[in-house]
Amino acid sequence: MSAAGWMVVVAPVAAFVVLTSVLWTRRPDAIAPLRLAVVRAALLTGVFAVLTVELLGALRALTLPAVAVAWLLFLAATMAAARLRRRRAAVASAAVAPAARAGTLVGAATGAPASGAGPAATPVSPAGPSGTARPPASVPGGLASALAGVRARLAHFRGTASRGERLLAGTVGGLVLVELLVALLAEPNNFDSQTYHLPKVEHWVAQSSLDFWPTAIHRQVTIPPGAEYLLLHLRLLTGGDALHNLVQWAAALGCLVVATRVVAQLGGGRRAQLLTAFLLATTPMVALQATSTQTDLVAAAWAGCAGTLALDGLRRRADVGSLLALGAATGLTALTKTSGLLAVGPLLVLWGVAQLRLSFRPASTGVTPGSTTGGTGSASTSPVPAGSGLAGSGLAGSTPTGVTPTGSASVGAGSAGQGRGAAGVARTVAGSLLVLLVAAAVVGPFLARVTVEFGHPLGPPRLRESIPMERHDPASILVNALRIGHTAFDTPLAPLRAGTAGAITDGSRAIGVDPQDRAITFGREVFPVPAWYPDEDRVAFPLAGTLALLGAVFALARPARISPTAPAALRAYAVAVVAAVGLHTATIKWQPWGNRLLLYALVAAVPLAGLWLDALLRRRLRPGRRSVAAGLVVSMLAASALAGVLALSYGFPRRLVGAGSVFTTSEWDTRFLRRPHWAEEFQWAAAAVRASDARRIGLVQQNDNWEYPWWLLLRDEAGRSPELVALQSVLPDRPPADPASVDAIVCTGSRTACAKLVPAGWTLEFRDYVGYALPSGR
């Protein structure tokens, strides 16, 4: 594409960066405010991208000019918002300056501190839970100030971090950069992407709308398209798929941001946050999917945004902005992968209960945590360190005397208190409805199209029956959970795998459940399957999973040992995570690729592992026991690092070294690493069709066949999409094209199915997997 087109690609990134500075909260008690701003900016950018696609699709205007104009307007709006914020900050500073000078003069005369002095007046704020000094507080007034704040935090980290913390951070940073390199070098080659993720993007581009089309692959129209909406923007702006892998790479960064912020919200200090980031970044499934066009990391990132925003609701009443953000996170999760709602649901329940509790808490003097009252220095008004978990409701720890999360004035007891409680309940109900309305606005248009097409918002019966559990008796759920756990915790130790699988199989039969029952097993798959190999679609996570499980157990049993400052919040969050995993095993059938479907739950659970490891290092043990505990932690971290490095180095289907390396494998061979023997067949058939000058080309394929290569191989010399029409359709109200109406036919999968649709007098050529048919004489 042109240089101007590539410049437009920068607009979404620039808008996101500017939005981060605009949405950086001024609340002095905010936990990890930079990461909170990143979450809010990501949600707003994501919602804009989705609604832009929906609007332009409804207008049949999904074109490069329309999308480019939309992003330039969005960038202009964010820059205007940044200028407005900077102007307001300057006005506020000018108003405060005289008072500050007066306070300085009074302080000089009396020897007392200036009344305006607060956390920002000191070079370093109070120490955090891990005992490390915190960076200076920062209230950015614009993009330049925000970037300066980031640089100050990095400098502070370099000056105060221990050698171990630097090693953890360096490993995470190195993995992220290597993943970025692979994502840029490797062409999309995920199996599902060849079948339906990327073909649906090409159909939208070809028809300039989101209308459904006749197809033999129902997943092209029935599976939620949230991640593909993001890919569509890149496809239109760049004219190809060169940047498609960056969507999942950015989602991996988002997962690191939300997971570490959750740790801070639960009372974890810098070391606990770095341990969490390290465990998550070195998990093979995360490292491999970060360079892919799959959708699991995108769903996990949106669900993680919902989780960290829900935890904010434990400490204070949600304002309108928080409600909108929570609704956006819920809607984006539902639009990307509905299974992510299994985690969002319990977290929303936790948020609602906390909001109701806050409704009945007695109000006080109107002093919020982190503020001061005239520099009195009383304990009741001392600042609460961000991330300590001390500020907030009973769920988040004790609130200092005279401090309320809402900051409202005291209304006393009796009828006034009861009235406030009733008003608070009404406010919570209204806020919950707003969250649901925003979520519905994001996912509603897609669900409406699916309902109109299939008569049900969850799609056709074949979709509703293939993935969700069809039996829900306790014995079946138990067997399903054990099989899912066996696949998730798989290791290279074959005797261990065989022994545990045999025990599960025998045990299930003993309680009257067939371990291969189709009602609890996807398709025709057979349990067990090896899942330890570093393959992006099925690799297990035994180390991260085991640590998360231990963290959940200790968080439920002894939360005060894990987080002394926020034990109740930790236990409540652990309950929500356990509930999410329980819901998953009760609603999703076992399948060989089930580990990637659990990725959202893993991202939610790893903070519990980071907190537990940090508590293990923090505990005061006798010298011998302390060295054993430290050695155990170091060994687990070393094993996790080895797993992550090996996954990036030798993982499939994108690797750094060996056969199929992104440095030595050609573009076309990279695309076909999953099925190398198909590459030449696709090229052979496409060359024959192009030589015939066919304009309208019919597709014959089955539900799991590759369609995307045809969109690449059959483009014209100008790069325009071919006119591909399906000669089969699983959509009842969308009949397939008449074979007599096309100039050529391309087929995949079955020669028999292809031959049935070839008109009389045509010539059919077919190899092992691919074939084509042309009218005689062409």
Side-chain angles (χ1 to χ4, degrees), residues 33-252:
L34 174 58
R35 279 169 280 177
L36 176 59
V38 169
V39 167
R40 290 174 171 176
L43 290 171
L44 184 54
T45 305
V47 168
F48 174 80
V50 166
L51 295 183
T52 297
V53 168
E54 291 288 357
L55 177 60
L56 295 179
L59 298 175
R60 306 188 68 83
L62 284 172
T63 62
L64 169 59
V67 170
V69 169
W71 280 112
L72 292 175
L73 290 175
F74 185 65
L75 176 59
T78 59
M79 295 180 67
R83 286 194 296 270
L84 179 61
R85 177 183 171 97
R86 187 165 56 250
R87 189 178 302 115
R88 289 180 175 177
V91 171
S93 299
V96 169
R101 286 195 296 270
T104 302
L105 293 175
V106 172
T110 62
S115 61
T122 60
V124 177
S125 64
S130 63
T132 58
R134 295 189 177 278
S138 174
V139 182
L143 179 59
S145 181
L147 294 177
V150 172
R151 288 194 296 269
R153 281 163 169 73
L154 291 176
H156 176 264
F157 176 81
R158 288 194 296 268
T160 60
S162 66
R163 182 180 302 176
E165 290 174 337
R166 291 182 181 182
L167 182 60
L168 291 173
T171 303
V172 173
L175 287 173
V176 168
L177 291 177
V178 173
E179 289 162 4
L180 174 61
L181 176 65
V182 175
L184 291 172
L185 290 179
E187 286 73 28
N189 60 0
N190 173 262
F191 194 103
D192 284 348
S193 297
Q194 306 278 13
T195 301
Y196 69 96
H197 289 310
L198 301 185
K200 71 170 65 173
V201 174
E202 296 300 325
H203 278 285
W204 293 333
V205 173
Q207 64 191 23
S208 300
S209 75
L210 301 176
D211 294 342
F212 290 165
W213 54 90
T215 179
I217 304 174
H218 76 87
R219 291 177 295 174
Q220 291 183 358
V221 296
T222 57
I223 299 294
E228 290 89 340
Y229 280 0
L230 304 181
L231 293 176
L232 175 60
H233 286 275
L234 292 177
R235 168 66 176 85
L236 288 170
L237 292 175
T238 66
D241 58 16
L243 301 182
H244 278 10
N245 292 331
L246 294 185
V247 171
Q248 281 263 107
W249 178 81

Side-chain angles (χ1 to χ4, degrees), residues 12-29:
V13 179
F16 168 77
V17 173
V18 175
L19 269 178
T20 300
S21 70
V22 172
L23 298 174
W24 198 327
T25 181
R26 296 174 181 271
R27 293 182 62 99
D29 65 328

Side-chain angles (χ1 to χ4, degrees), residues 313-318 351-364 393-395 404-406 408-409 411-412 414-432:
L314 307 189
R315 304 170 55 247
R316 59 174 179 268
R317 295 305 305 271
W351 173 85
V353 171
Q355 292 291 291
L356 288 175
R357 285 171 59 92
L358 291 173
S359 300
F360 290 96
R361 287 180 63 85
S364 187
S393 68
L395 284 173
T404 173
T406 61
S408 58
V411 295
S415 59
Q418 294 173 2
R420 180 179 180 273
V425 170
R427 178 180 172 184
T428 300
V429 171
S432 302

Side-chain angles (χ1 to χ4, degrees), residues 429-615:
V429 171
S432 302
L433 291 176
L434 180 58
V435 169
L436 296 177
L437 286 173
V438 173
V442 175
V443 73
F446 168 72
L447 293 181
R449 288 193 298 274
V450 173
T451 303
V452 170
E453 191 71 32
F454 301 103
H456 195 287
L458 298 181
R462 65 184 301 175
L463 178 62
R464 303 198 302 271
E465 296 169 1
S466 62
I467 297 177
M469 289 271 286
E470 298 176 78
R471 290 180 56 179
H472 297 92
D473 55 285
S476 296
I477 293 175
L478 175 61
V479 171
N480 195 53
L482 291 174
R483 295 183 306 164
I484 289 175
H486 178 274
T487 306
F489 290 84
D490 190 24
T491 68
L493 303 176
L496 177 62
R497 180 190 315 120
T500 53
I504 293 172
T505 301
D506 294 341
S508 63
R509 292 196 178 101
I511 60 176
V513 178
D514 180 1
Q516 315 300 345
D517 186 355
R518 297 302 101 188
I520 61 174
T521 305
F522 178 83
R524 300 179 182 179
E525 304 302 327
V526 177
F527 172 84
V529 295
W532 62 268
Y533 184 80
D535 184 302
E536 66 173 355
D537 283 337
R538 64 173 66 191
V539 62
F541 34 83
L543 187 58
T546 300
L547 292 175
L549 179 62
L550 290 172
V553 169
F554 281 97
L556 293 172
R558 301 195 174 190
R561 286 193 176 184
I562 308 300
S563 176
T565 60
L570 175 61
R571 176 176 283 168
Y573 182 77
V575 168
V577 172
V578 171
V581 175
L583 288 172
H584 184 99
T585 59
T587 57
I588 306 295
K589 292 177 179 178
W590 174 87
Q591 55 183 284
W593 315 277
N595 288 342
R596 66 180 182 81
L597 302 183
L598 271 171
L599 199 51
Y600 73 92
L602 180 70
V603 171
V606 165
L608 301 176
L611 286 164
W612 178 67
L613 288 177
D614 181 64

Side-chain angles (χ1 to χ4, degrees), residues 31-40 256-258 260-261 264 273:
I31 295 176
L34 174 58
R35 279 169 280 177
L36 176 59
V38 169
V39 167
R40 290 174 171 176
L256 294 176
V257 168
V258 296
T260 55
R261 185 168 189 267
Q273 296 170 46

